[in-house]
Amino acid sequence: PPPPPPPPPTPPTAPCPGKKKLYQAIAAGKTPVSGDYEEARMLLSQRESSFRKDLQWALFNKYVPSLIQDGPQCGLVALWMAGQLLGTAGSVSVEWIMKRAIDRGYTVQGEMFSAQAMALLAEEVYGCVAELLTGGLGGENQARVIAHLSQGGPVLIPYDEDFNHEPCLRNGHRAHWSVASGVLLGVSAGADPRHIQSDPEVPWMLLPGPQDVPSLLESRVEEVHLLAKQGKSLRYQLWALEWLRESNSQLYQLDPQRAQDGTQYVVPQGGVEAGLAGQVVLLHKRRIDRQADGFPAEA
């Protein structure tokens, strides 16, 4: 009998995605969960045992769409996501934002090592008012962030990103940008929740309106968690503000490997510490004639 035919040729192995494409590959084919409370419900249900039973839990959130970054664009992607809460959805692309940032000298590769530059870029791109807070996420700044998020405004927060995208302490070597769009408050049981709606699916979670903030804050706020997104995942994450505060405060220096890899970056005078440590950016809506300034027409 004739010899058996040779085996079919081995199909070529698909090349592994480059580092800048890794998170795009992970997100390919997946659809983010949309809605102000849908993903928060899942997060809180999964972690119910970790929340104190002696506190009342109140959640504020305004949904921001997800976008996966391409290269070191974490700040620009976070700004794009935040822009969707400013009444300008669909009006600009990340590519357009990056072009503006390059033209202004804020970035070369997409990196943003200056919160002040981020604030200026946000005002130019979205015609908003950017409020730069310095001195960390404690004290009066914590109260400002809580109030802003409870009113539906986004907050841009730099931090050190761990392998699971959560805050960590790496002296700025893993500096990364996120956008917070929600806040979960654990308040002392002395607050009167009778007039505040409970979530139908997670009954221990209250869904207050902005008008309920003063009465909630009259009671002692014992725990604060932020609901945030960043450019390496489609999912919301819930971070303890205390841990995020520590991560944000210790952004001291550029990763030595990045500093020596021959790639050009824009680092402000005083380094990463002067540009990012203890700083966050609150974005407020403001109407201006953007087309007159050469901006794309709003969708």
Side-chain angles (χ1 to χ4, degrees), residues 3 23 25 32 42 51 53 61 119 136 151 179 181 188 191 195 220 226 237 241 245 252 272 274 282 288 293:
Y23 295 100
M42 292 188 291
F51 295 104
K53 299 297 187 288
N61 188 51
Q151 297 292 330
V179 54
S181 66
S188 60
H195 64 292
R220 182 177 178 183
L226 300 191
Q237 291 190 285
L241 180 58
R245 179 192 307 130
Y252 297 137
V272 170
L282 281 58
I288 65 170
D293 291 333

Side-chain angles (χ1 to χ4, degrees), residues 35-37 60-66 77-92 97 122 126-129 145 148-156 178-183 227-229 236 281-287 298:
D36 291 347
Y37 300 113
F60 300 85
N61 188 51
K62 286 294 183 183
Y63 172 77
V64 293
S66 304
V77 166
L79 176 57
W80 180 89
M81 289 190 282
Q84 312 310 296
L85 295 184
L86 299 173
T88 56
S91 62
V92 295
I97 295 174
Y126 288 115
C128 62
V129 175
V145 167
H148 188 65
L149 290 170
S150 70
Q151 297 292 330
V155 182
L156 296 169
S178 65
V179 54
S181 66
V183 60
L227 203 58
K229 284 188 174 181
Y236 266 116
V281 181
L282 281 58
L283 301 183
H284 305 263
K285 292 181 181 180
R286 178 177 65 186
R287 294 184 179 275
E298 294 188 8

Side-chain angles (χ1 to χ4, degrees), residues 138-150:
E140 293 183 4
N141 284 352
Q142 174 175 311
R144 288 288 304 120
V145 167
I146 291 174
H148 188 65
L149 290 170
S150 70

Side-chain angles (χ1 to χ4, degrees), residues 1-85:
T10 303
T13 303
C16 294
K19 186 174 182 181
K20 73 173 184 177
K21 300 291 185 182
L22 176 61
Y23 295 100
Q24 291 180 321
I26 293 173
K30 296 182 180 180
T31 303
V33 177
S34 60
D36 291 347
Y37 300 113
E38 280 69 12
E39 195 167 3
R41 288 188 184 103
M42 292 188 291
L43 281 171
L44 295 180
S45 296
Q46 293 166 0
R47 296 168 53 178
E48 180 175 357
S49 62
S50 67
F51 295 104
R52 287 171 50 183
K53 299 297 187 288
D54 61 324
L55 299 180
Q56 294 168 348
W57 294 95
L59 177 69
F60 300 85
N61 188 51
K62 286 294 183 183
Y63 172 77
V64 293
S66 304
L67 186 66
I68 300 297
Q69 67 191 66
D70 184 3
Q73 297 179 329
C74 58
L76 305 183
V77 166
L79 176 57
W80 180 89
M81 289 190 282
Q84 312 310 296
L85 295 184

Side-chain angles (χ1 to χ4, degrees), residues 105-231:
Y106 300 149
T107 187
V108 175
Q109 313 294 334
E111 76 289 347
M112 291 294 289
F113 288 117
S114 167
Q116 182 179 30
M118 179 70 84
L120 293 171
L121 181 64
E123 291 189 336
E124 180 176 359
V125 169
Y126 288 115
C128 62
V129 175
E131 180 184 0
L132 176 63
L133 300 184
T134 61
L137 281 165
E140 293 183 4
N141 284 352
Q142 174 175 311
R144 288 288 304 120
V145 167
I146 291 174
H148 188 65
L149 290 170
S150 70
Q151 297 292 330
V155 182
L156 296 169
I157 306 174
Y159 72 105
D160 262 340
E161 177 215 12
D162 211 342
F163 68 93
N164 59 358
H165 314 308
E166 294 192 356
C168 65
L169 307 176
R170 301 289 178 83
N171 292 318
H173 296 183
R174 299 277 300 172
H176 191 53
W177 280 93
S178 65
V179 54
S181 66
V183 60
L184 177 69
L185 301 177
V187 300
S188 60
D192 182 2
R194 288 175 295 179
H195 64 292
I196 300 177
Q197 174 186 355
S198 293
D199 183 80
E201 297 181 33
V202 186
W204 55 271
M205 181 175 75
L206 304 177
L207 301 178
Q211 71 280 359
D212 298 315
V213 175
S215 62
L216 282 173
L217 296 185
E218 284 178 4
S219 301
R220 182 177 178 183
V221 176
E222 304 250 355
E223 291 190 21
V224 181
H225 301 260
L226 300 191
L227 203 58
K229 284 188 174 181
Q230 45 75 44

Side-chain angles (χ1 to χ4, degrees), residues 248-296:
N248 169 262
S249 69
Q250 52 83 71
L251 300 174
Y252 297 137
Q253 59 184 225
L254 184 66
D255 181 354
Q257 290 186 346
R258 295 184 72 179
Q260 299 172 13
D261 67 5
T263 304
Q264 183 180 0
Y265 300 108
V266 176
V267 180
Q269 184 176 3
V272 170
E273 181 175 5
L276 297 178
Q279 301 176 57
V280 300
V281 181
L282 281 58
L283 301 183
H284 305 263
K285 292 181 181 180
R286 178 177 65 186
R287 294 184 179 275
I288 65 170
D289 187 355
R290 302 171 77 249
Q291 285 183 270
D293 291 333
F295 292 86

